[in-house]
C-alpha cells in the first residue's frame, strides 16, 4: 500500500510528459519535426552580368539580410516550398535586381529593384522588404 502511494505521482508525471511530447510533435510523417507555419524558402543568386566588387558585396548584403529575417525558414532548394531566383545586372552607374518568386516550380511574382550604385544598401533593404511582404502574404493567403 505504501509503495502504491509513492508511485502514483511518478505515474502522473510520466503521463504528463507523454502528453506534452505527443502535442509537441506536429507531423509524424515529416522527416524533420519542425512545428512552424512559416514558409520554407530557398534563395539563389546569378551575378554573371555583374563582374564588379560592388555587385558581389550587394549579394553578400542581401544574403545576410535574408538570414536574419524571421518571416521564413531558409532551406536548400529541394526542401523548399518557395524559391527565389535573383539576378544582378549593372552598368556604369546603376544596379538592377530582378527577383523571380516561384511556389513549387510555378511562377508567382517578379520584382525589379533598380537604382544607383551609391545606394546599393538601400536597394538590398528594399528587395528584402518586398520579398518578405509578398511571400508572407501569398503564404498566408494559400493557407
Amino acid at each position: 500500500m505504501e509503495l502504491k502511494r509513492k508511485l502514483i505521482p511518478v505515474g502522473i508525471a510520466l503521463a504528463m510528459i507523454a502528453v506534452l511530447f505527443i502535442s509537441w510533435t506536429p507531423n509524424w510523417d515529416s522527416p524533420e519535426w519542425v512545428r512552424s507555419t512559416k514558409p520554407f524558402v530557398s534563395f539563389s543568386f546569378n551575378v554573371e552580368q555583374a563582374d564588379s566588387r560592388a555587385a558581389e558585396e550587394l549579394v553578400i548584403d542581401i544574403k545576410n539580410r535574408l538570414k536574419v529575417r524571421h518571416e521564413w525558414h531558409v532551406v536548400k532548394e529541394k526542401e523548399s516550398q518557395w524559391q527565389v531566383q535573383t539576378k544582378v545586372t549593372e552598368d556604369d552607374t546603376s544596379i538592377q535586381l530582378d527577383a523571380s518568386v516561384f511556389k513549387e516550380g510555378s511562377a508567382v511574382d517578379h520584382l525589379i529593384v533598380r537604382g544607383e550604385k551609391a545606394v546599393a544598401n538601400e536597394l538590398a533593404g528594399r528587395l528584402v522588404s518586398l520579398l518578405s511582404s509578398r511571400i508572407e502574404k501569398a503564404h498566408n493567403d494559400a493557407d
Side-chain angles (χ1 to χ4, degrees):
M1 186 66 99
E2 193 67 31
L3 181 63
K4 190 175 180 181
R5 284 184 176 208
K6 290 181 180 179
L7 291 180
I8 288 175
V10 172
I12 292 172
L14 289 176
M16 289 178 65
I17 291 171
V19 168
L20 286 173
F21 177 75
I22 290 170
S23 69
W24 176 77
T25 54
N27 185 356
W28 291 98
D29 298 328
S30 176
E32 297 178 20
W33 288 357
V34 178
R35 184 181 194 132
S36 177
T37 58
K38 297 178 184 179
F40 291 84
V41 185
S42 68
F43 297 96
S44 62
F45 295 92
N46 180 3
V47 198
E48 292 176 4
Q49 297 176 354
D51 296 329
S52 75
R53 183 156 162 69
E56 292 174 11
E57 289 177 358
L58 181 63
V59 169
I60 292 170
D61 186 21
I62 292 171
K63 286 181 181 179
N64 289 338
R65 289 173 190 251
L66 292 172
K67 285 180 186 177
V68 299
R69 297 299 288 219
H70 298 287
E71 289 87 5
W72 49 53
H73 298 287
V74 178
V75 294
K76 296 176 184 172
E77 188 170 349
K78 64 180 182 176
E79 301 168 356
S80 66
Q81 178 185 15
W82 296 85
Q83 301 85 27
V84 178
Q85 298 173 352
T86 305
K87 184 173 83 171
V88 179
T89 310
E90 69 175 331
D91 59 16
D92 294 336
T93 60
S94 65
I95 293 180
Q96 178 173 318
L97 302 168
D98 293 319
S100 298
V101 180
F102 299 92
K103 181 178 181 183
E104 298 171 349
S106 62
V108 175
D109 205 351
H110 184 78
L111 304 169
I112 298 175
V113 177
R114 72 176 66 106
E116 307 234 350
K117 287 183 180 181
V119 294
N121 288 339
E122 293 298 322
L123 297 176
R126 181 70 178 149
L127 179 69
V128 170
S129 175
L130 287 170
L131 285 173
S132 174
S133 64
R134 300 276 174 95
I135 291 174
E136 186 175 1
K137 182 179 181 321
H139 185 73
N140 290 337
D141 290 345
D143 290 342

